[in-house]
Amino acid sequence: MNAATIPEQPLPTWRRAVLKVGSNLLAADGGGLTPRHAEALAAFIAASHAQGRQVVLVSSGAVAAGRALLRERLPNGGDLAARQALAALGQAPVIELWRRLAERPVAQVLLTHDDVRNRRRYLNARATLRELLALDALAVVNENDTVAVDELKLGDNDNLGAIVAALVEADLLLIASDIDALYTADPRRDASATPIASVAEVTPAILAMAGGSGSAVGTGGMRTKLKAASKAASAGIPTALFDGRNADTVRLLGEGRLRGTLFQAGTSRLQARKYWLRHAPAAPGAIRVDAGATRALAGGHASLLPGGILDAEGEFHRGDVVEITDADGRPVARGLVQYGMAEVRRLAGRHSREITGVLGYSYGSEVVHRDDLVTLIEGEPENGT
Ligand code: GLU
């Protein structure tokens, strides 16, 4: 395909991005991993970092690398257990590849379906990734194929990329692929297929353009990319799809130019999150807060600390969305709690620095972090809070 025909456009401004790199960019034909395309991508990550931006990597390639290691002995590693063994074998080379190329310490993060569905594990995964970002480490995420069971698999790393983007509250999902854009039809079969610069929404008509899986090594295809873009969009995150084999395209990304397809978000990340917090089913119970905390929460910028809490009731757990009321029981806010009901009761009125002393452990000084709060009192400015 002629790169000149691929539309070029400004990349949305971003500060934190998830970069998903597919197996076929990392695995040489039937062989082990090769840094051929990873080098330019690593340079992009380093340059972004130097500009004060953060990148979380979602890297495939474990099964392909494992298969290459065992080619002689395992000619058709098709069943799930064999694939899982291959993934376990190949994960070390995946990390080694990025470790060689990255200028920062590399952290391996393996996630399963359970980790993102289970509220407590979700919060822990999020906290760890946030911490890794704060430590300036490069998190290299993959599915924990070793323990995933078929029906509970996250499935493909495009999907994982969208999940991680929402998890770390990224501004952008970057999908480095072996295809340079979304086309109106399959460009390998249809000469009249033309690349699409921008997609406002992944509609059934857009999905129909994708066909099935396009690659021999990864599990994804254009369809999984569109689904990932759609998932990211519903979390308020735009997705950029580009040809990760083209070093020029990757270099342009570093200059804020996208040669590929941009999937728009439709809503802002913050609005998507506030919408979710406002409408997610609340757990039974409530946290009652004093007048000072009520005022602070009404302002829309404060976290809920233990000191402002009067008491708690009901049956909520860490990771639930819980209603917060004023002293008279009038709703003030809703938020995703870091502590369960029994813990909040014990922490009520205490200073944040007493948390470890009271509970014997701490999930952080906030009972509800301000990013996880939506104010219900009328007059709250909706945007930018
Ligand atoms: N987790 C798989 C691997 O590392 C890849 C899944 C995918 O390609 O989407 O090999």
Side-chain angles (χ1 to χ4, degrees):
M1 267 150 270
N2 181 357
T5 65
I6 303 301
E8 205 183 294
Q9 61 197 303
L11 200 60
T13 45
W14 63 278
R15 217 184 69 75
R16 181 179 296 165
V18 169
L19 169 63
K20 185 264 169 178
V21 182
S23 296
N24 20 10
L25 296 190
L26 302 176
D29 279 343
L33 300 183
T34 160
R36 188 150 61 113
H37 304 307
E39 262 164 14
L41 293 163
F44 163 74
I45 296 172
S48 303
H49 187 236
Q51 294 163 356
R53 299 188 157 125
Q54 298 173 322
V55 177
V56 172
L57 194 58
V58 170
S59 178
S60 308
V63 173
R67 184 163 283 139
L69 283 174
L70 282 196
R71 209 164 11 180
E72 249 93 278
R73 277 190 285 148
L74 203 77
N76 44 16
D79 72 5
L80 183 66
R83 254 185 87 83
Q84 290 178 310
L86 293 178
L89 276 159
Q91 183 60 26
V94 167
I95 291 296
E96 186 47 34
L97 174 78
W98 292 111
R99 237 170 56 84
R100 273 208 315 270
L101 298 174
E103 289 165 4
R104 288 178 284 155
V106 163
Q108 167 175 275
V109 178
L110 298 175
L111 293 175
T112 60
H113 189 271
D114 278 352
D115 301 326
V116 290
R117 287 297 154 96
N118 175 293
R119 292 168 306 219
R120 269 176 282 179
R121 288 202 196 192
Y122 174 92
L123 284 181
N124 288 350
R126 189 176 77 164
T128 304
L129 283 164
R130 280 184 177 173
E131 195 62 35
L132 287 168
L133 283 167
L135 292 169
D136 269 345
L138 176 63
V140 178
V141 185
N142 198 354
E143 178 157 14
N144 193 353
D145 290 303
T146 317
V147 295
V149 285
D150 229 357
E151 60 279 15
L152 287 181
K153 269 181 91 62
L154 289 162
D156 60 79
N157 277 8
D158 295 320
N159 181 40
L160 180 60
I163 288 171
V164 173
L167 197 62
V168 300
E169 286 158 357
D171 315 300
L172 182 62
L173 171 60
L174 294 160
I175 300 187
S177 176
D178 59 354
I179 181 144
D180 43 23
L182 172 68
Y183 282 74
T184 50
D186 186 343
R188 291 164 304 185
R189 279 178 219 134
D190 187 341
S192 69
T194 48
I196 300 170
S198 177
V199 174
E201 195 188 343
V202 178
T203 58
I206 295 280
L207 270 175
M209 292 175 185
S213 171
S215 109
V217 248
T219 53
M222 189 51 83
R223 212 180 173 75
T224 67
K225 290 177 180 52
L226 295 182
K227 290 204 163 147
S230 168
K231 181 173 269 184
S234 65
I237 302 165
T239 298
L241 173 71
F242 61 95
D243 184 355
R245 298 163 312 174
N246 186 320
D248 238 18
T249 299
V250 175
R251 186 185 47 75
L252 273 177
L253 271 187
E255 294 167 15
R257 311 275 315 156
L258 169 64
R259 190 192 279 161
T261 302
L262 180 69
F263 298 88
Q264 284 154 29
T267 169
S268 79
R269 185 162 54 70
L270 200 72
Q271 278 166 336
R273 178 128 187 101
K274 297 269 168 182
Y275 182 88
W276 179 80
L277 283 167
R278 199 181 289 275
H279 297 281
I287 298 176
R288 216 158 57 88
V289 301
D290 66 17
T294 300
R295 260 195 314 278
L297 295 178
H301 295 287
S303 296
L304 176 62
L305 303 175
I309 295 176
L310 296 172
D311 57 33
E313 50 155 48
E315 221 185 283
F316 59 84
H317 304 278
R318 170 166 156 79
D320 280 342
V321 173
V322 176
E323 191 163 272
I324 300 162
T325 71
D326 67 10
D328 301 321
R330 283 183 298 242
V332 173
R334 298 175 122 222
L336 192 149
V337 287
Q338 297 289 339
Y339 295 90
M341 202 283 295
E343 292 161 323
V344 174
R345 270 202 175 151
R346 293 174 64 196
L347 293 174
R350 309 295 284 262
H351 195 281
S352 287
R353 65 172 171 267
E354 295 177 282
I355 292 176
T356 309
V358 173
L359 299 178
Y361 52 86
S362 167
Y363 296 124
S365 44
E366 303 91 5
V367 171
V368 183
H369 191 275
R370 63 173 175 274
D371 293 349
D372 297 328
L373 259 168
V374 62
T375 303
L376 299 176
I377 295 179
E378 261 176 57
E380 182 213 0
E382 264 296 321
N383 296 313
T385 57

